[in-house]
Amino acid sequence: MAVTAQHTPAVRISTPTGRWILLTTVLGSSMVLLDSTVVNVALPRIGRDLDASLAALQWTVNAYLVTLAGLILLGGALGDRYGRRRIFVLGVVWFTTASLLCGLAPNPAVLITARALQGVGGALLTPGSLALIQASFHPDDRSRAVGLWSGFGGIGAAVGPFLGGWLVTGPGWRWVFLLNIPLALVCAPVAVRHVPESAGGTSLLERSRELGGPAAHGRFDVLGAALGALSLALVTYALIEARTGSPAVPLTATAGVLAAVAFVWVEKHRRDPMMPPAIFASRQFTAVNVVTLCVYAAFGGFFFLTALQLQVVAGYSPLAAGTALLPTTVLMLLFSARSGALADRIGPRLPLTAGPLLCAAAMLLMLRVGRGADYPTDVLPALLVMGVGMVVLVAPLTATVLASVDTSRAGLASGINNAAARAAGLIAVAALPLLSGMGPEAYRSATAFDAAFRRAMPICAAVLVVGAVLAFTTVRRPPPGCRHPECRTHGWVTAPPLEGRRARDGALRAPGTHPAD
């Protein structure tokens, strides 16, 4: 049953209710961020304990991303319609139950299934945590609340690899997933007791009619979401299994392409599409999303393979490997706000060109990481360059996405960009082992994995160069008065930070202005 519009008093950040809302939303988003960053570090131990092939390890990452990327837009719409707190709490419970199944998994098949269920919970949790903040706080406090939410979430992402490495080295990899249970035991009761319910009501429906979004007619684009997720799953399966030469691979690949075509057709012909095709009328929006696909495909492949390279080839423990990856996220936390301010002054074209090129250079520097690699001289320089490149790139990318569409479409544009980034990451994790000639047992052999890693990093670098060229040739300075991000502090290495539908008055585009085409 849909929640009707409620006139909840605006909450100030200094009040007890404001602090409870922040605690709840930070805990919720941290659960998703922790899992997105710690699992890569645990993969070698998971493979060894469950006797899993490389394909099973790829699915351990990608089963989660398939459902998360495919359903994240629908998850946000469900919260708007049925109550943001209700869907958020449902997401917490769902995600935690799936985490418990992951922690108890006796074999790879159960783990992969539970990871897919985790992605469903993440699709409810991720947009719900931000939506609660934007629906609850007074407009004068909203930007500060979003900044705190984003900053603390980034800290969770930074701590993730270190915490994951410590858990894998100590209690065991299963605690990477079981850790979510105590977080949920705090998060869900606090949300029920202290967070006011909110739903979009009439104002949301009016905005959705402008968007052509899923809540516009009181219905949801379940078919579109299912087709999108199915297409990603089938294409991912074909890429992962292509090495086997199975006759099912071309059939699955064809089915995946047909599902993608059906998804596009459905979105064009539904009255309430999840992804309204009209939003791609902005050439700038389309171009920036193509750049996003290039950038986050390279990032997804990089973080997946680097965590394995450091352990399988360089001989690092899970704790050392997790700690080694900290510089990239720490640099983003410290300097992303300044990078965004600089891009506001000079325009996004230069940062969106230079950032991918710096990240490409970092991936070539990773070729120095081999057997017995020394951290200060071999690993750290590459990760520092990678961190600088991400600092230069991520904040302007988010700002340009928001600036390229009308303000009323900001939340939709951010959701599409976030889903595109996650889809790019899962395709990269599926395709890179195939493109680099990585065998099904390569992660058990330092020699075999190192050889494939050295072929994979130049591929990632080349994809980033393509993204840089696209940015240089297509991205233009946004018009004055466009929408600016509320998330100024970024620590999200797996996808751009989400932005919600609501905007501060000062961030709205002036009447009569239009996005750059």
Side-chain angles (χ1 to χ4, degrees), residues 357-384:
L357 292 177
L358 284 168
C359 292
M363 293 184 184
L364 295 179
L365 284 173
M366 283 300 296
L367 296 176
R368 295 166 52 88
V369 179
R371 289 178 181 269
D374 182 63
Y375 184 74
T377 60
D378 297 325
V379 182
L380 183 59
L383 292 176
L384 289 176

Side-chain angles (χ1 to χ4, degrees), residues 470-487:
L470 284 171
F472 184 78
T473 56
T474 61
V475 173
R476 298 293 180 265
R477 181 185 287 272
C482 62
R483 170 78 148 84
H484 293 287
E486 289 186 295
C487 291

Side-chain angles (χ1 to χ4, degrees), residues 2-320:
V3 174
T4 57
Q6 298 181 26
H7 300 284
T8 304
V11 177
R12 303 307 299 243
I13 202 169
S14 58
T15 63
T17 300
R19 290 191 286 269
W20 282 121
I21 293 172
L22 271 178
L23 173 65
T24 304
T25 54
V26 167
L27 284 175
S29 62
S30 294
M31 290 168 62
V32 177
L33 279 170
L34 280 170
D35 261 47
S36 66
T37 55
V38 304
V39 171
N40 286 346
V41 176
L43 289 176
R45 291 289 178 90
I46 292 174
R48 200 154 52 238
D49 287 358
L50 298 183
D51 193 26
S53 65
L54 178 64
L57 297 187
Q58 289 172 274
W59 275 114
T60 299
V61 175
N62 278 350
Y64 173 79
L65 291 175
V66 164
T67 50
L68 179 59
L71 301 177
I72 194 168
L73 289 173
L74 184 62
L78 287 170
D80 288 342
R81 177 65 174 173
Y82 291 108
R84 299 180 182 102
R85 186 188 67 183
R86 178 183 296 174
I87 298 302
F88 175 80
V89 172
L90 174 62
V92 170
V93 173
W94 189 304
F95 191 88
T96 307
T97 303
S99 298
L100 177 61
L101 292 176
C102 289
L104 299 177
N107 55 56
V110 173
L111 177 60
I112 291 166
T113 302
R115 285 286 285 164
L117 293 173
Q118 260 195 324
V120 177
L124 300 174
L125 252 179
T126 304
S129 60
L130 177 59
L132 278 174
I133 289 177
Q134 293 182 314
S136 302
F137 281 102
H138 190 280
D140 292 343
D141 287 350
R142 195 173 295 138
S143 282
R144 184 183 170 206
V146 171
L148 289 170
W149 170 81
S150 179
F152 281 116
I155 291 171
V159 170
F162 169 81
L163 182 61
W166 178 78
L167 289 171
V168 173
T169 304
W173 64 265
R174 295 180 185 276
W175 283 95
V176 167
F177 301 106
L178 297 177
L179 177 66
N180 291 319
I181 296 173
L183 294 178
L185 289 176
V186 176
C187 182
V190 169
V192 171
R193 182 175 177 82
H194 297 286
V195 176
E197 181 59 281
S198 65
T202 304
S203 61
L204 172 70
L205 295 177
E206 289 172 350
R207 280 202 305 276
S208 295
R209 290 189 183 99
E210 296 176 3
L211 298 176
H217 309 287
R219 298 189 298 272
F220 299 102
D221 187 9
V222 176
L223 178 60
L227 285 171
L230 178 63
S231 174
L232 289 173
L234 291 172
V235 171
T236 300
Y237 177 87
L239 289 169
I240 290 176
E241 297 298 324
R243 293 185 301 267
T244 66
S246 167
V249 169
L251 294 176
T252 306
T254 302
V257 172
L258 291 176
V261 172
F263 169 76
V264 173
W265 188 89
V266 166
E267 297 307 284
K268 283 184 176 180
H269 291 86
R270 284 186 72 94
R271 293 177 62 196
D272 49 358
M274 179 180 73
M275 189 181 296
I279 197 171
F280 292 97
S282 166
R283 290 194 296 271
Q284 178 108 319
F285 178 76
T286 303
V288 175
N289 275 285
V290 175
V291 173
T292 298
L293 289 172
C294 293
V295 166
Y296 280 93
F299 289 171
F302 173 82
F303 286 108
F304 172 70
L305 293 179
T306 297
L308 288 166
Q309 177 77 358
L310 290 174
Q311 296 177 70
V312 174
V313 178
Y316 286 28
S317 69
L319 177 58

